[in-house]
Amino acid sequence: MIEKHLVLEDIDPVVFYGVSNANLHIIRSLYPKLRIVARDNVIRVLGDEEQMASFEESVESLRQHVLRFNALKEEDILDIIRGHRTKDVPEGVVVYSMSGRPIKARTKNQQRLIEAYEQHDMVFAVGPAGTGKTYLSIALAVKALKEKTAKKIILSRPAVEAGEKLGFLPGDMKDKIDPYLQPLYDALEDMLPQVKLQDMMEKHVIQIAPLAFMRGRTLSDAVVILDEAQNTTPAQIRMFLTRMGWNTKMIITGDMTQIDLPHSQKSGLIEALHILNNVEGIGVVNLDRSDIVRHKLVTRIVNAYEAFDKEHQTKTEDK
């Protein structure tokens, strides 16, 4: 008789054990000669040495399944334990959401973004709201973290005041800045277990910070995403792009129709795209209205505003 403690790393134990420990009951029934007790993310096992080895292998295979698919069903448990095989990931899937939904390219330009990320160390993804630029970029970063091709994820946004002054918002500096970064939190929460996400943030494996906090840093072994880059100044984006370190990939996203800078201030994204247009190792992906994957009204709203902008520009030029 031997005793071992197995730790379920990088996954949500609630998903592994199932609702009311349903998955754990199935696993116990398949290993009747072992005494299995689970608490938090630790499984304590007591029993026969030969069956213990098989159990360890099965638990690791099940853990890998949960890590990949964010789900574990009864048929998955039976398939893995009886045959020690895992389900293949369908082609094109980047990662799975916490609900088990496959996250993958839904348009040709989104697929171009994935391919550009694989082929280049720095990628600019430019397009209107709702084209999945930020969400897909974060999915690629989460995939890199899960596959251990990157040690950390760094997400940043310029804290540009659009209607409200930071100084008048309630709370300390974190409270004032967090609303600007909330879309990044939302995407991460859709792809990683809440407890694991919190742990990663506390250990700085995942870092979310305003652009100003990037100054003076060298970002290595990471996937770094700058969101809403159209609201950077030329000096800010230049500072950010030169933070790149070894084994790092950068994705810069932006929407040229939503520049919140003062009219006298040039967008750093526009200038960067012009200067870096033919630089080897940099990919540029332009998304358009056909790539909008939000509610169908979003496409109509974007179209209406584009028509309004063109009409306004024509009137201005005629004066």
Side-chain angles (χ1 to χ4, degrees), residues 295-306:
H295 193 285
K296 58 186 179 182
L297 270 178
V298 175
T299 304
R300 297 172 189 169
I301 291 169
V302 170
N303 290 342
Y305 269 96
E306 281 191 2

Side-chain angles (χ1 to χ4, degrees), residues 124-128 133 226-230 252-257 269:
F124 286 83
V126 183
K133 306 181 299 294
L226 174 59
D227 194 34
E228 300 287 354
Q230 76 276 1
I252 300 93
T253 72
D255 177 2
M256 299 305 194
T257 67
L269 178 59

